[in-house]
Amino acid sequence: MAPGSGGQNPDVATLVADYVLARLREWGVHRIFGYPGDGINGFLGALDRADGDPELVQVRHEEASAFMACGHAKFTGEVGVCLATSGPGAIHLLNGLYDARLDHQPVVAIVGQQKRMSLGSHYQQEVDLPTLFKDVSEYVQVCMDPAQARHLVDRAVRIALDRRAVTTLVFPNDVQEEEAVESPPRQHGAVFSGVGHARPRVLPLDEDLDRAAAVLNEGNRVAILVGQGALDAADEVVQVADVLGAGVAKALLGRAVLPDDLPYVTGSIGLLGTRPSYELMRDCDTLLMVGSSFPYAEWLPEEGQARGVQVDIDGRMLGIRYPMEVNLVGDSQATLQALLPRLQRKEEREWRERIERRVADWRRLVEERAMLDADGINPQRVVWELNRCLPDDAIVAADSGSSTVWWARTLRLRKGMSASVSGTLATMGCAVPYAIAAKLAHPHRPVVAFVGDGAFQMNGMNELLTAAKYRGRWSDPRLVFCVFNNRDLNMVTWEQRALAGDPKYPASQQIPDFPAARFAELVGLHGIKVDDPDDVAGAWEEAFSSDRPTVLEAVVDPEVPPLPPHVDFEQMTNLAAALVKGDPERTNVMARSLREKLLELLPGR
Ligand SMILES: Cc1ncc(C[n+]2csc(CCOP(=O)(O)OP(=O)(O)O)c2C)c(N)n1
Ligand SMILES: [Mg+2]
């Protein structure tokens, strides 16, 4: 349907809302995640008339629609669009929009508003939306005139894509239902915008590439850190790592850049990361950072220890984590391609071999830790068994909690897989909506979500209803929500112990033992509950061969420590203090933490 053709019914005049949808369609938007309200009645009517293009995906809570828009962007590279009514609906969007903003995802939010004539009167559901959305949005505008709609849509989508940012359009409900103006009158003040955005190829200047190459060539022990900005530069990262004899660590959002089976890939970095990543940064003399804004400086080399080169498409993100010697604004792929002919192959391979030995040793340790018994199931075992049967083209999303640690550390990604988390906002509640958005976008790929029981109770269980609502369209039903039932807000419990030196505080930490698998059955999905480690492998097989989306509820031991890869003296002292102060689980905590650490000290390590 051409913009403004008035939908399917020729008797219905083209309204502003119809026009906006048609314009979004021209921009390639075919799915909008949203929830109704009379503030967007005009859009609901228009969506009905649009007859499924764009389709409305109806969620349980507006926050989920923003998470889904963000997840759609993360797993497709396209702009994600969400829709909410005025006042409360708009407010509910915010956390999901901040998730997109902080992880640099292109998302457009469309929100309703009261009629123009009521604004400023303390009217019902009247909220100052431009002010409310100002911080989260790169661009926020209210459509006060039908003639504005065209350039507002064009700018909102283009800015979202170009800046990889959130943009927000506010439509008073009377404007939505006014007759559309496709082409503004040819008079002073009118603007005539167009559709289309092409990603540029951004390359640093030759002299800066030369400087970068000199730093990398002069180094003896090169470490590479990749983030999501390197997702389309996998081959180039491999080649650069090979020439430089370097190891490659991955920030959380860059986990899918390289598979975990390459011998020099040290895996995730940071508190949730691996020991070889920690050692890579500790021992390197040169750091090449590509497409990452990994925030924690204490996991990077010490200032002065290494010379640095950074590549980022966004110049604002350069030199803010480590004082780099050469800061290159550029596409990761094009920039690495341009660097490669300037790099000299390092003939001395001792550094690379050292990294590979550490990686191999770490992988054995991860398996051994996963196989340790526990009270209930060791959560690492759940992920280890998944490694054995995870289909090739799987998409794996994780929530925020201790399961993020197992996702980051124990889950082994192979070529062709995709993965994401709420990397920078680190918000709870993202995994289930991300997974649903991924399945809608890639119905033939298997999708797995790691969800803590706290996150499941917070919002995940509600969105199971959304999965149940749409499951009929998936001929490949492989969508598995793995719920880690530990009756605890475990990540924070451990943070209290190791960072604050406080014992577990049951009033804030313990949560109800909720029957997630039974709940899944109740809403028409498949539910599997496992509490015996020997049943985990079979449970995964069953989940992947089920005829419908499945909740795999694993009853796991909350006292298995999500230990950081390197425990410093202060963390140990804090943990000891927490236990002395009377942690209700001190016996188990002691036992499990010691065993995990002792494994590292076994002869041969
Ligand atoms: C919206 C939000 N609220 C609170 C937090 C702080 N927080 C981070 S992890 C966590 C615990 C999550 O518990 P659960 O989902 O059960 O996972 P677990 O750590 O137990 O595996 C909390 C409360 C957060 N990151 N996001
Ligand atoms: Mg929990």
Side-chain angles (χ1 to χ4, degrees):
M1 189 179 75
S5 69
Q8 298 230 310
N9 182 350
D11 298 332
V12 179
T14 300
L15 307 182
V16 167
D18 296 287
Y19 176 80
V20 168
L21 296 185
R23 196 75 175 177
L24 286 170
R25 199 160 43 236
E26 278 195 70
W27 274 99
V29 173
H30 302 292
R31 180 169 302 134
I32 295 178
F33 304 93
Y35 199 80
D38 70 349
I40 47 169
N41 270 347
F43 279 105
L44 302 175
L47 280 161
D48 190 14
R49 291 188 289 277
D51 206 21
D53 187 18
E55 70 164 334
L56 176 72
V57 171
Q58 181 215 56
V59 294
R60 303 309 104 208
H61 187 297
E62 290 86 353
E63 181 192 31
S65 69
F67 278 137
M68 288 185 195
C70 178
H72 179 88
K74 285 184 167 183
F75 292 118
T76 64
E78 300 168 359
V79 66
V81 181
C82 54
L83 172 69
T85 191
S86 51
I91 294 165
H92 269 180
L93 286 180
L94 281 171
N95 192 50
L97 293 180
Y98 271 102
D99 180 40
R101 171 182 155 83
L102 268 62
D103 278 353
H104 306 283
Q105 296 302 319
V107 167
V108 175
I110 297 176
V111 291
Q113 177 58 298
Q114 295 299 0
K115 287 193 171 74
R116 284 167 293 183
M117 69 177 177
S118 51
L119 294 179
S121 69
H122 192 81
Y123 207 69
Q124 195 196 29
Q125 294 190 336
E126 184 193 347
V127 169
D128 181 357
L129 295 177
T131 302
L132 186 68
F133 283 80
K134 187 81 191 156
D135 182 53
V136 78
S137 310
E138 183 80 19
Y139 175 79
V140 51
Q141 284 293 329
V142 185
C143 185
M144 297 300 280
D145 186 312
Q148 259 182 302
R150 173 167 148 188
H151 68 258
L152 291 189
V153 173
D154 291 346
R155 294 214 69 207
V157 181
R158 182 175 287 111
I159 291 171
L161 287 169
D162 193 69
R163 314 310 301 180
R164 293 178 316 282
V166 173
T167 58
T168 304
L169 297 180
V170 180
F171 287 89
N173 60 30
D174 55 328
V175 177
Q176 295 166 30
E177 299 189 328
E178 284 211 355
E179 208 166 306
V181 174
E182 283 180 49
S183 203
R186 185 139 192 98
Q187 64 182 46
H188 182 66
V191 291
F192 299 85
S193 63
V195 170
H197 179 264
R199 267 185 57 188
R201 183 182 157 92
V202 183
L203 254 191
L205 298 176
D206 280 340
E207 65 226 51
D208 294 323
L209 289 165
D210 290 340
R211 285 197 302 128
V215 170
L216 297 171
N217 286 333
E218 285 160 24
N220 294 318
R221 300 184 305 279
V222 182
I224 302 179
L225 172 60
V226 293
Q228 63 169 337
L231 276 170
D232 56 3
D235 291 345
E236 289 74 12
V237 173
V238 165
Q239 288 171 49
V240 170
D242 195 42
V243 172
L244 296 177
V248 184
K250 305 186 287 187
L252 288 190
L253 291 174
R255 275 219 66 200
V257 172
L258 290 187
D260 287 305
D261 41 22
L262 294 174
Y264 53 88
V265 170
T266 60
S268 305
I269 188 175
L271 204 62
L272 280 54
T274 70
R275 200 180 59 197
S277 292
Y278 161 73
E279 291 165 343
L280 180 72
M281 295 298 150
R282 185 195 60 193
D283 298 339
C284 71
D285 66 3
T286 310
L287 172 63
L288 170 60
M289 198 157 145
V290 185
S292 173
S293 57
F294 173 72
Y296 300 120
E298 70 271 30
W299 297 96
L300 295 177
E302 268 187 48
E303 187 173 9
Q305 166 198 327
R307 300 174 71 190
V309 173
Q310 188 177 355
V311 181
D312 205 289
I313 187 72
D314 184 346
R316 293 174 301 186
M317 303 308 292
L318 288 167
I320 54 172
R321 302 293 183 241
Y322 190 81
M324 299 289 175
E325 199 166 319
V326 185
N327 292 289
L328 301 175
V329 178
D331 268 350
S332 45
Q333 189 185 42
T335 304
L336 295 184
Q337 277 168 0
L339 263 179
L340 269 164
R342 295 170 156 89
L343 299 179
Q344 293 150 10
R345 186 179 165 82
K346 294 201 192 302
E347 299 308 333
E348 173 56 60
R349 305 305 274 187
E350 196 280 325
W351 168 243
R352 170 81 158 232
E353 287 157 12
R354 198 189 322 170
I355 294 163
E356 294 189 3
R357 278 196 305 276
R358 286 171 170 174
V359 168
D361 186 44
W362 167 260
R363 287 179 189 164
R364 277 196 297 278
L365 180 67
V366 169
E367 178 171 10
E368 286 162 12
R369 282 183 176 174
M371 292 304 158
L372 287 173
D373 60 3
D375 187 6
I377 301 174
N378 177 344
Q380 297 164 104
R381 176 78 183 267
V382 177
V383 181
W384 189 258
E385 297 297 346
L386 174 64
N387 283 336
R388 302 182 201 248
C389 64
L390 189 61
D392 279 342
D393 51 348
I395 301 173
V396 191
D399 218 280
S400 298
S402 67
S403 64
T404 326
V405 180
W406 316 132
W407 173 91
R409 208 181 276 161
T410 316
L411 179 74
R412 299 192 55 184
L413 293 175
R414 305 194 308 274
K415 204 176 164 103
M417 293 181 176
S418 313
S420 203
V421 290
S422 170
T424 320
L425 188 61
T427 177
M428 288 168 70
C430 62
V432 173
Y434 275 11
I436 294 172
K439 190 68 185 169
L440 287 164
H442 302 286
H444 300 298
R445 291 177 68 177
V447 179
V448 179
F450 285 10
V451 196
D453 50 357
F456 189 74
Q457 292 173 28
M458 184 180 265
N459 69 346
M461 55 190 279
N462 295 343
E463 294 308 322
L464 279 198
L465 296 169
T466 307
K469 178 175 155 77
Y470 291 99
R471 76 176 177 87
R473 63 164 71 185
W474 298 317
S475 59
D476 177 340
R478 292 174 298 174
L479 171 57
V480 186
F481 305 99
C482 179
V483 178
F484 292 77
N485 175 348
N486 55 17
R487 289 85 56 212
D488 188 36
L489 300 173
N490 197 236
M491 190 67 186
V492 176
T493 302
W494 281 99
E495 285 167 343
Q496 284 176 344
R497 287 171 179 148
L499 302 179
D502 286 329
K504 173 172 174 171
Y505 172 44
S508 72
Q509 297 315 108
Q510 268 167 14
I511 56 171
D513 183 356
F514 183 77
R518 267 169 56 206
F519 178 77
E521 298 278 350
L522 205 60
V523 303
L525 304 183
H526 185 41
I528 308 169
K529 182 173 182 174
V530 276
D531 46 21
D532 182 336
D534 292 334
D535 293 340
V536 174
W540 280 115
E541 299 291 348
E542 183 182 333
F544 285 123
S545 52
S546 168
D547 67 348
R548 61 192 65 195
T550 297
V551 167
L552 196 170
E553 176 190 350
V555 181
V556 296
D557 184 349
E559 308 320 331
V560 172
L563 282 178
H566 162 70
V567 184
D568 64 25
F569 183 70
E570 192 185 340
Q571 288 162 344
M572 272 306 199
T573 320
N574 286 338
L575 181 57
L579 300 184
V580 170
K581 284 183 203 163
D583 193 293
E585 306 296 340
R586 58 189 167 276
T587 319
N588 285 337
V589 169
M590 280 288 278
R592 306 268 189 284
S593 308
L594 263 178
R595 276 188 330 173
E596 297 251 341
K597 276 321 274 180
L598 282 177
L599 270 183
E600 282 183 48
L601 306 175
L602 283 180
R605 288 233 149 79

